[in-house]
Amino acid sequence: MKILSPRFISINIISQPSKRKRIELFYIIAPANVTTGGPELLHQLVYELNQMGLDAVIAYDRCSKNNMEPSIPQQYKRYVSEFITADLIPDTKDSYVVIPETRPFYVKQFKNATTIFWWLSVDFFKIQCDPKYKFENQGIPQAIKALMLQTKKRAFASIKKAPIHLYQSEYARQYAISHGIAPSALIKLSDYVNDDYRTGIDYLSFSNRRQNVLYNPKKGRRYTEQLIKLAPNLHWIPLQGYSNQQLVSLMKESMLYIDFGFHPGKDRLPREAAACGTCVITGKQGAAAFENDYPIPEWASINQADVSPIEVVQTIQYVLNNYEQLIEEFSPYRSMIKGEKEVFKADLQTFVHSINGLEKNADVQ
């Protein structure tokens, strides 16, 4: 693992049919020492850009709650072997800076570099900027501060300076448009689940599974606790403290994953579970309300406002008792997950071509 200074990064010169030489150097800003779905996707982007023959490097934001020095998490070393810190990104015309939705104010810091804002989620952007979500997640003082400083208004003023907005989900696309981002500025760049989960998706065994009900204890906790109290006899398993390999093993022997929390984008755990052969039941918060993001059977997408917790438990019990019949209804979801990596690569080509278009327009001007 190496920490790089920008002046030491090698730059690939890519010859085009026009014989014009162009320098492509991408800096992908990511939170340091964080191992969740969004940061993994940022590392995957660096890997795929480098695989295309472009130069890309992860740039860690030094702002970290734990005050640890940035380092590459072990599970991301499959994607990257070197990094810089975001404060070292050169603000030059040959720099392309990808900024995640949790760092909106980075956009306005760059005067010469081309900035690309990536809507990895919607809700984490709201938590950063929206007083209402600040109140719900961080308390009254932070909400008042955001209100007084007009944080949401300033955040949108910042990100609207980015000529390209990438979006991971249909939920994010519609949110961005509803807040004044031009549809022509939006380009789809989704993601793909870790290969640990996708390997063997065509050879899953759906027989002799255990009646486990898997859930994420960090999301929808209060509602899930209601369900557990109503059916304490069921085998509820919180997904925490497991390695990827342990999760894969557990999911491949289980029947069901539930998720009644917020879905800031196309979340990974539901897809990882489905890729391992579980049925998936979700609420309709955030991206889970969009069929393009969650192509699961209609009965498995539950509006908690319209259905009582007792009815939800009855649905869970029905799935456990009829798993081998119902799992076939999740074939479209598994097919989508299986093809995500190739779709991501195709999306990435579209994105890179859009960069070319920006360069041509700049030349004309």
mmCIF file of all heavy atoms in Angstrom, residues 237-275:
data_model
loop_
_atom_site.group_PDB
_atom_site.id
_atom_site.type_symbol
_atom_site.label_atom_id
_atom_site.label_comp_id
_atom_site.label_asym_id
_atom_site.label_seq_id
_atom_site.Cartn_x
_atom_site.Cartn_y
_atom_site.Cartn_z
ATOM 1 N N ILE A 237 -32.053 -13.684 12.861
ATOM 2 C CA ILE A 237 -30.584 -13.565 12.923
ATOM 3 C C ILE A 237 -30.164 -12.168 12.462
ATOM 4 O O ILE A 237 -30.319 -11.820 11.283
ATOM 5 C CB ILE A 237 -29.887 -14.623 12.049
ATOM 6 C CG1 ILE A 237 -30.280 -16.034 12.494
ATOM 7 C CG2 ILE A 237 -28.367 -14.439 12.109
ATOM 8 C CD1 ILE A 237 -29.643 -17.136 11.661
ATOM 9 N N PRO A 238 -29.631 -11.336 13.367
ATOM 10 C CA PRO A 238 -29.116 -10.020 12.961
ATOM 11 C C PRO A 238 -27.789 -10.175 12.231
ATOM 12 O O PRO A 238 -26.910 -10.933 12.660
ATOM 13 C CB PRO A 238 -28.934 -9.285 14.292
ATOM 14 C CG PRO A 238 -28.714 -10.379 15.300
ATOM 15 C CD PRO A 238 -29.511 -11.560 14.819
ATOM 16 N N LEU A 239 -27.645 -9.467 11.118
ATOM 17 C CA LEU A 239 -26.421 -9.577 10.317
ATOM 18 C C LEU A 239 -25.403 -8.545 10.804
ATOM 19 O O LEU A 239 -25.313 -7.429 10.285
ATOM 20 C CB LEU A 239 -26.742 -9.382 8.833
ATOM 21 C CG LEU A 239 -27.709 -10.409 8.244
ATOM 22 C CD1 LEU A 239 -27.936 -10.149 6.754
ATOM 23 C CD2 LEU A 239 -27.210 -11.836 8.465
ATOM 24 N N GLN A 240 -24.643 -8.940 11.783
ATOM 25 C CA GLN A 240 -23.586 -8.071 12.303
ATOM 26 C C GLN A 240 -22.445 -8.935 12.815
ATOM 27 O O GLN A 240 -22.653 -10.034 13.328
ATOM 28 C CB GLN A 240 -24.113 -7.182 13.428
ATOM 29 C CG GLN A 240 -24.682 -7.924 14.612
ATOM 30 C CD GLN A 240 -25.266 -6.982 15.657
ATOM 31 O OE1 GLN A 240 -25.262 -5.773 15.484
ATOM 32 N NE2 GLN A 240 -25.762 -7.544 16.764
ATOM 33 N N GLY A 241 -21.236 -8.449 12.613
ATOM 34 C CA GLY A 241 -20.065 -9.169 13.102
ATOM 35 C C GLY A 241 -19.605 -10.317 12.225
ATOM 36 O O GLY A 241 -18.783 -11.126 12.651
ATOM 37 N N TYR A 242 -20.114 -10.397 10.999
ATOM 38 C CA TYR A 242 -19.738 -11.477 10.090
ATOM 39 C C TYR A 242 -18.758 -10.971 9.032
ATOM 40 O O TYR A 242 -18.843 -9.828 8.571
ATOM 41 C CB TYR A 242 -20.960 -12.041 9.366
ATOM 42 C CG TYR A 242 -21.966 -12.748 10.238
ATOM 43 C CD1 TYR A 242 -23.106 -12.090 10.692
ATOM 44 C CD2 TYR A 242 -21.800 -14.081 10.586
ATOM 45 C CE1 TYR A 242 -24.058 -12.738 11.479
ATOM 46 C CE2 TYR A 242 -22.731 -14.739 11.376
ATOM 47 C CZ TYR A 242 -23.858 -14.062 11.815
ATOM 48 O OH TYR A 242 -24.789 -14.708 12.597
ATOM 49 N N SER A 243 -17.843 -11.833 8.624
ATOM 50 C CA SER A 243 -17.014 -11.542 7.461
ATOM 51 C C SER A 243 -17.836 -11.815 6.208
ATOM 52 O O SER A 243 -18.930 -12.411 6.271
ATOM 53 C CB SER A 243 -15.768 -12.433 7.453
ATOM 54 O OG SER A 243 -16.144 -13.795 7.246
ATOM 55 N N ASN A 244 -17.340 -11.388 5.039
ATOM 56 C CA ASN A 244 -18.040 -11.669 3.789
ATOM 57 C C ASN A 244 -18.269 -13.163 3.598
ATOM 58 O O ASN A 244 -19.356 -13.602 3.217
ATOM 59 C CB ASN A 244 -17.243 -11.117 2.599
ATOM 60 C CG ASN A 244 -17.575 -9.667 2.291
ATOM 61 O OD1 ASN A 244 -18.508 -9.102 2.847
ATOM 62 N ND2 ASN A 244 -16.816 -9.061 1.404
ATOM 63 N N GLN A 245 -17.243 -13.942 3.855
ATOM 64 C CA GLN A 245 -17.349 -15.389 3.658
ATOM 65 C C GLN A 245 -18.384 -15.999 4.601
ATOM 66 O O GLN A 245 -19.148 -16.896 4.217
ATOM 67 C CB GLN A 245 -15.976 -16.052 3.867
ATOM 68 C CG GLN A 245 -14.968 -15.819 2.757
ATOM 69 C CD GLN A 245 -14.448 -14.380 2.701
ATOM 70 O OE1 GLN A 245 -14.428 -13.680 3.725
ATOM 71 N NE2 GLN A 245 -14.043 -13.940 1.527
ATOM 72 N N GLN A 246 -18.420 -15.510 5.837
ATOM 73 C CA GLN A 246 -19.411 -16.014 6.794
ATOM 74 C C GLN A 246 -20.821 -15.623 6.390
ATOM 75 O O GLN A 246 -21.759 -16.420 6.529
ATOM 76 C CB GLN A 246 -19.087 -15.480 8.193
ATOM 77 C CG GLN A 246 -17.832 -16.073 8.812
ATOM 78 C CD GLN A 246 -17.409 -15.359 10.084
ATOM 79 O OE1 GLN A 246 -17.626 -14.152 10.247
ATOM 80 N NE2 GLN A 246 -16.800 -16.100 11.003
ATOM 81 N N LEU A 247 -20.963 -14.384 5.880
ATOM 82 C CA LEU A 247 -22.280 -13.945 5.412
ATOM 83 C C LEU A 247 -22.762 -14.790 4.240
ATOM 84 O O LEU A 247 -23.933 -15.193 4.188
ATOM 85 C CB LEU A 247 -22.230 -12.475 5.005
ATOM 86 C CG LEU A 247 -22.417 -11.428 6.109
ATOM 87 C CD1 LEU A 247 -22.234 -10.029 5.540
ATOM 88 C CD2 LEU A 247 -23.785 -11.555 6.761
ATOM 89 N N VAL A 248 -21.862 -15.053 3.308
ATOM 90 C CA VAL A 248 -22.230 -15.875 2.155
ATOM 91 C C VAL A 248 -22.725 -17.239 2.623
ATOM 92 O O VAL A 248 -23.781 -17.728 2.174
ATOM 93 C CB VAL A 248 -21.039 -16.025 1.188
ATOM 94 C CG1 VAL A 248 -21.341 -17.094 0.136
ATOM 95 C CG2 VAL A 248 -20.723 -14.707 0.515
ATOM 96 N N SER A 249 -22.001 -17.865 3.519
ATOM 97 C CA SER A 249 -22.390 -19.190 4.024
ATOM 98 C C SER A 249 -23.743 -19.146 4.712
ATOM 99 O O SER A 249 -24.600 -20.026 4.501
ATOM 100 C CB SER A 249 -21.327 -19.716 4.989
ATOM 101 O OG SER A 249 -20.097 -19.907 4.335
ATOM 102 N N LEU A 250 -23.937 -18.118 5.541
ATOM 103 C CA LEU A 250 -25.195 -17.988 6.268
ATOM 104 C C LEU A 250 -26.357 -17.738 5.312
ATOM 105 O O LEU A 250 -27.435 -18.360 5.438
ATOM 106 C CB LEU A 250 -25.093 -16.844 7.283
ATOM 107 C CG LEU A 250 -26.358 -16.510 8.085
ATOM 108 C CD1 LEU A 250 -26.805 -17.722 8.912
ATOM 109 C CD2 LEU A 250 -26.111 -15.298 8.988
ATOM 110 N N MET A 251 -26.167 -16.859 4.349
ATOM 111 C CA MET A 251 -27.238 -16.540 3.408
ATOM 112 C C MET A 251 -27.599 -17.739 2.536
ATOM 113 O O MET A 251 -28.770 -17.948 2.202
ATOM 114 C CB MET A 251 -26.834 -15.351 2.532
ATOM 115 C CG MET A 251 -26.806 -14.025 3.281
ATOM 116 S SD MET A 251 -26.111 -12.687 2.270
ATOM 117 C CE MET A 251 -26.436 -11.258 3.320
ATOM 118 N N LYS A 252 -26.600 -18.540 2.167
ATOM 119 C CA LYS A 252 -26.855 -19.674 1.286
ATOM 120 C C LYS A 252 -27.567 -20.827 1.987
ATOM 121 O O LYS A 252 -28.020 -21.767 1.316
ATOM 122 C CB LYS A 252 -25.551 -20.156 0.644
ATOM 123 C CG LYS A 252 -25.067 -19.232 -0.468
ATOM 124 C CD LYS A 252 -23.878 -19.800 -1.210
ATOM 125 C CE LYS A 252 -23.513 -18.909 -2.412
ATOM 126 N NZ LYS A 252 -22.352 -19.430 -3.166
ATOM 127 N N GLU A 253 -27.681 -20.748 3.298
ATOM 128 C CA GLU A 253 -28.417 -21.787 4.014
ATOM 129 C C GLU A 253 -29.740 -21.247 4.580
ATOM 130 O O GLU A 253 -30.461 -21.978 5.255
ATOM 131 C CB GLU A 253 -27.576 -22.363 5.160
ATOM 132 C CG GLU A 253 -27.306 -21.408 6.295
ATOM 133 C CD GLU A 253 -26.455 -22.017 7.414
ATOM 134 O OE1 GLU A 253 -25.752 -23.016 7.131
ATOM 135 O OE2 GLU A 253 -26.526 -21.513 8.548
ATOM 136 N N SER A 254 -30.052 -19.970 4.288
ATOM 137 C CA SER A 254 -31.229 -19.317 4.853
ATOM 138 C C SER A 254 -32.317 -19.098 3.806
ATOM 139 O O SER A 254 -32.052 -19.070 2.614
ATOM 140 C CB SER A 254 -30.842 -17.970 5.471
ATOM 141 O OG SER A 254 -29.866 -18.147 6.494
ATOM 142 N N MET A 255 -33.552 -18.902 4.298
ATOM 143 C CA MET A 255 -34.698 -18.734 3.407
ATOM 144 C C MET A 255 -35.082 -17.287 3.151
ATOM 145 O O MET A 255 -35.609 -16.977 2.085
ATOM 146 C CB MET A 255 -35.916 -19.469 3.975
ATOM 147 C CG MET A 255 -35.815 -20.976 3.982
ATOM 148 S SD MET A 255 -37.384 -21.707 4.530
ATOM 149 C CE MET A 255 -36.995 -23.457 4.378
ATOM 150 N N LEU A 256 -34.850 -16.404 4.122
ATOM 151 C CA LEU A 256 -35.463 -15.085 4.011
ATOM 152 C C LEU A 256 -34.583 -13.988 4.588
ATOM 153 O O LEU A 256 -33.943 -14.166 5.634
ATOM 154 C CB LEU A 256 -36.813 -15.087 4.751
ATOM 155 C CG LEU A 256 -37.597 -13.775 4.786
ATOM 156 C CD1 LEU A 256 -37.993 -13.319 3.383
ATOM 157 C CD2 LEU A 256 -38.844 -13.924 5.665
ATOM 158 N N TYR A 257 -34.580 -12.848 3.894
ATOM 159 C CA TYR A 257 -33.987 -11.609 4.399
ATOM 160 C C TYR A 257 -35.075 -10.545 4.403
ATOM 161 O O TYR A 257 -35.817 -10.405 3.424
ATOM 162 C CB TYR A 257 -32.822 -11.149 3.518
ATOM 163 C CG TYR A 257 -32.301 -9.763 3.874
ATOM 164 C CD1 TYR A 257 -31.407 -9.594 4.917
ATOM 165 C CD2 TYR A 257 -32.736 -8.632 3.180
ATOM 166 C CE1 TYR A 257 -30.942 -8.328 5.266
ATOM 167 C CE2 TYR A 257 -32.274 -7.367 3.514
ATOM 168 C CZ TYR A 257 -31.386 -7.225 4.558
ATOM 169 O OH TYR A 257 -30.937 -5.974 4.909
ATOM 170 N N ILE A 258 -35.207 -9.788 5.507
ATOM 171 C CA ILE A 258 -36.178 -8.700 5.568
ATOM 172 C C ILE A 258 -35.456 -7.386 5.818
ATOM 173 O O ILE A 258 -34.390 -7.356 6.436
ATOM 174 C CB ILE A 258 -37.243 -8.929 6.659
ATOM 175 C CG1 ILE A 258 -36.615 -8.880 8.062
ATOM 176 C CG2 ILE A 258 -37.969 -10.252 6.439
ATOM 177 C CD1 ILE A 258 -37.627 -8.774 9.182
ATOM 178 N N ASP A 259 -36.050 -6.295 5.335
ATOM 179 C CA ASP A 259 -35.422 -4.982 5.504
ATOM 180 C C ASP A 259 -36.498 -3.898 5.497
ATOM 181 O O ASP A 259 -36.972 -3.492 4.443
ATOM 182 C CB ASP A 259 -34.417 -4.728 4.384
ATOM 183 C CG ASP A 259 -33.498 -3.553 4.679
ATOM 184 O OD1 ASP A 259 -33.933 -2.623 5.387
ATOM 185 O OD2 ASP A 259 -32.358 -3.558 4.198
ATOM 186 N N PHE A 260 -36.875 -3.444 6.690
ATOM 187 C CA PHE A 260 -37.906 -2.425 6.821
ATOM 188 C C PHE A 260 -37.325 -1.075 7.243
ATOM 189 O O PHE A 260 -38.024 -0.238 7.801
ATOM 190 C CB PHE A 260 -38.989 -2.889 7.805
ATOM 191 C CG PHE A 260 -39.839 -3.995 7.263
ATOM 192 C CD1 PHE A 260 -39.593 -5.314 7.613
ATOM 193 C CD2 PHE A 260 -40.853 -3.717 6.369
ATOM 194 C CE1 PHE A 260 -40.369 -6.340 7.096
ATOM 195 C CE2 PHE A 260 -41.636 -4.734 5.832
ATOM 196 C CZ PHE A 260 -41.395 -6.055 6.205
ATOM 197 N N GLY A 261 -36.054 -0.864 6.951
ATOM 198 C CA GLY A 261 -35.434 0.422 7.217
ATOM 199 C C GLY A 261 -35.508 1.313 5.990
ATOM 200 O O GLY A 261 -36.171 0.993 5.002
ATOM 201 N N PHE A 262 -34.815 2.430 6.038
ATOM 202 C CA PHE A 262 -34.764 3.310 4.867
ATOM 203 C C PHE A 262 -33.780 2.728 3.850
ATOM 204 O O PHE A 262 -32.823 2.045 4.203
ATOM 205 C CB PHE A 262 -34.372 4.735 5.265
ATOM 206 C CG PHE A 262 -32.954 4.887 5.770
ATOM 207 C CD1 PHE A 262 -31.933 5.232 4.898
ATOM 208 C CD2 PHE A 262 -32.642 4.699 7.109
ATOM 209 C CE1 PHE A 262 -30.629 5.373 5.342
ATOM 210 C CE2 PHE A 262 -31.334 4.845 7.562
ATOM 211 C CZ PHE A 262 -30.328 5.181 6.682
ATOM 212 N N HIS A 263 -34.057 3.002 2.601
ATOM 213 C CA HIS A 263 -33.219 2.499 1.508
ATOM 214 C C HIS A 263 -32.695 3.712 0.749
ATOM 215 O O HIS A 263 -33.355 4.215 -0.172
ATOM 216 C CB HIS A 263 -34.025 1.576 0.595
ATOM 217 C CG HIS A 263 -34.459 0.311 1.251
ATOM 218 N ND1 HIS A 263 -33.860 -0.907 1.003
ATOM 219 C CD2 HIS A 263 -35.414 0.072 2.180
ATOM 220 C CE1 HIS A 263 -34.433 -1.841 1.741
ATOM 221 N NE2 HIS A 263 -35.387 -1.270 2.463
ATOM 222 N N PRO A 264 -31.521 4.202 1.117
ATOM 223 C CA PRO A 264 -30.987 5.429 0.512
ATOM 224 C C PRO A 264 -30.638 5.285 -0.954
ATOM 225 O O PRO A 264 -30.505 6.271 -1.676
ATOM 226 C CB PRO A 264 -29.737 5.717 1.342
ATOM 227 C CG PRO A 264 -29.340 4.395 1.915
ATOM 228 C CD PRO A 264 -30.622 3.653 2.139
ATOM 229 N N GLY A 265 -30.504 4.067 -1.404
ATOM 230 C CA GLY A 265 -30.231 3.746 -2.799
ATOM 231 C C GLY A 265 -30.507 2.262 -2.968
ATOM 232 O O GLY A 265 -31.233 1.662 -2.160
ATOM 233 N N LYS A 266 -29.954 1.664 -4.023
ATOM 234 C CA LYS A 266 -30.079 0.206 -4.162
ATOM 235 C C LYS A 266 -29.126 -0.423 -3.152
ATOM 236 O O LYS A 266 -27.938 -0.590 -3.428
ATOM 237 C CB LYS A 266 -29.731 -0.225 -5.584
ATOM 238 C CG LYS A 266 -30.713 0.264 -6.628
ATOM 239 C CD LYS A 266 -30.549 -0.469 -7.951
ATOM 240 C CE LYS A 266 -29.145 -0.349 -8.503
ATOM 241 N NZ LYS A 266 -28.980 -1.050 -9.785
ATOM 242 N N ASP A 267 -29.651 -0.775 -1.994
ATOM 243 C CA ASP A 267 -28.798 -1.274 -0.921
ATOM 244 C C ASP A 267 -28.175 -2.621 -1.272
ATOM 245 O O ASP A 267 -28.746 -3.413 -2.042
ATOM 246 C CB ASP A 267 -29.590 -1.392 0.378
ATOM 247 C CG ASP A 267 -29.687 -0.072 1.112
ATOM 248 O OD1 ASP A 267 -29.314 0.954 0.517
ATOM 249 O OD2 ASP A 267 -30.130 -0.074 2.274
ATOM 250 N N ARG A 268 -27.038 -2.866 -0.666
ATOM 251 C CA ARG A 268 -26.303 -4.085 -1.001
ATOM 252 C C ARG A 268 -26.825 -5.325 -0.288
ATOM 253 O O ARG A 268 -26.910 -6.395 -0.892
ATOM 254 C CB ARG A 268 -24.814 -3.886 -0.696
ATOM 255 C CG ARG A 268 -24.205 -2.836 -1.603
ATOM 256 C CD ARG A 268 -22.703 -2.949 -1.687
ATOM 257 N NE ARG A 268 -22.232 -2.069 -2.762
ATOM 258 C CZ ARG A 268 -21.179 -2.295 -3.506
ATOM 259 N NH1 ARG A 268 -20.451 -3.368 -3.312
ATOM 260 N NH2 ARG A 268 -20.820 -1.458 -4.458
ATOM 261 N N LEU A 269 -27.164 -5.213 0.983
ATOM 262 C CA LEU A 269 -27.566 -6.412 1.719
ATOM 263 C C LEU A 269 -28.754 -7.138 1.082
ATOM 264 O O LEU A 269 -28.711 -8.366 0.962
ATOM 265 C CB LEU A 269 -27.862 -6.073 3.180
ATOM 266 C CG LEU A 269 -26.697 -6.239 4.164
ATOM 267 C CD1 LEU A 269 -27.107 -5.808 5.569
ATOM 268 C CD2 LEU A 269 -26.200 -7.687 4.198
ATOM 269 N N PRO A 270 -29.802 -6.444 0.664
ATOM 270 C CA PRO A 270 -30.887 -7.180 -0.009
ATOM 271 C C PRO A 270 -30.420 -7.913 -1.260
ATOM 272 O O PRO A 270 -30.819 -9.056 -1.511
ATOM 273 C CB PRO A 270 -31.896 -6.072 -0.364
ATOM 274 C CG PRO A 270 -31.629 -4.986 0.612
ATOM 275 C CD PRO A 270 -30.146 -5.020 0.850
ATOM 276 N N ARG A 271 -29.548 -7.272 -2.029
ATOM 277 C CA ARG A 271 -29.053 -7.914 -3.246
ATOM 278 C C ARG A 271 -28.098 -9.063 -2.928
ATOM 279 O O ARG A 271 -28.107 -10.099 -3.593
ATOM 280 C CB ARG A 271 -28.359 -6.884 -4.146
ATOM 281 C CG ARG A 271 -29.346 -5.953 -4.847
ATOM 282 C CD ARG A 271 -28.646 -4.940 -5.718
ATOM 283 N NE ARG A 271 -27.942 -3.932 -4.927
ATOM 284 C CZ ARG A 271 -26.930 -3.208 -5.368
ATOM 285 N NH1 ARG A 271 -26.445 -3.411 -6.580
ATOM 286 N NH2 ARG A 271 -26.388 -2.296 -4.605
ATOM 287 N N GLU A 272 -27.264 -8.871 -1.924
ATOM 288 C CA GLU A 272 -26.349 -9.945 -1.524
ATOM 289 C C GLU A 272 -27.135 -11.163 -1.063
ATOM 290 O O GLU A 272 -26.799 -12.306 -1.411
ATOM 291 C CB GLU A 272 -25.414 -9.439 -0.424
ATOM 292 C CG GLU A 272 -24.397 -8.421 -0.924
ATOM 293 C CD GLU A 272 -23.685 -7.667 0.188
ATOM 294 O OE1 GLU A 272 -24.080 -7.812 1.363
ATOM 295 O OE2 GLU A 272 -22.741 -6.918 -0.112
ATOM 296 N N ALA A 273 -28.182 -10.917 -0.283
ATOM 297 C CA ALA A 273 -29.010 -12.027 0.198
ATOM 298 C C ALA A 273 -29.717 -12.724 -0.956
ATOM 299 O O ALA A 273 -29.730 -13.959 -1.053
ATOM 300 C CB ALA A 273 -30.024 -11.510 1.219
ATOM 301 N N ALA A 274 -30.291 -11.924 -1.872
ATOM 302 C CA ALA A 274 -30.983 -12.514 -3.023
ATOM 303 C C ALA A 274 -30.023 -13.301 -3.900
ATOM 304 O O ALA A 274 -30.369 -14.367 -4.422
ATOM 305 C CB ALA A 274 -31.671 -11.414 -3.836
ATOM 306 N N ALA A 275 -28.799 -12.778 -4.068
ATOM 307 C CA ALA A 275 -27.790 -13.477 -4.881
ATOM 308 C C ALA A 275 -27.423 -14.823 -4.281
ATOM 309 O O ALA A 275 -26.991 -15.728 -4.997
ATOM 310 C CB ALA A 275 -26.540 -12.616 -5.024
#
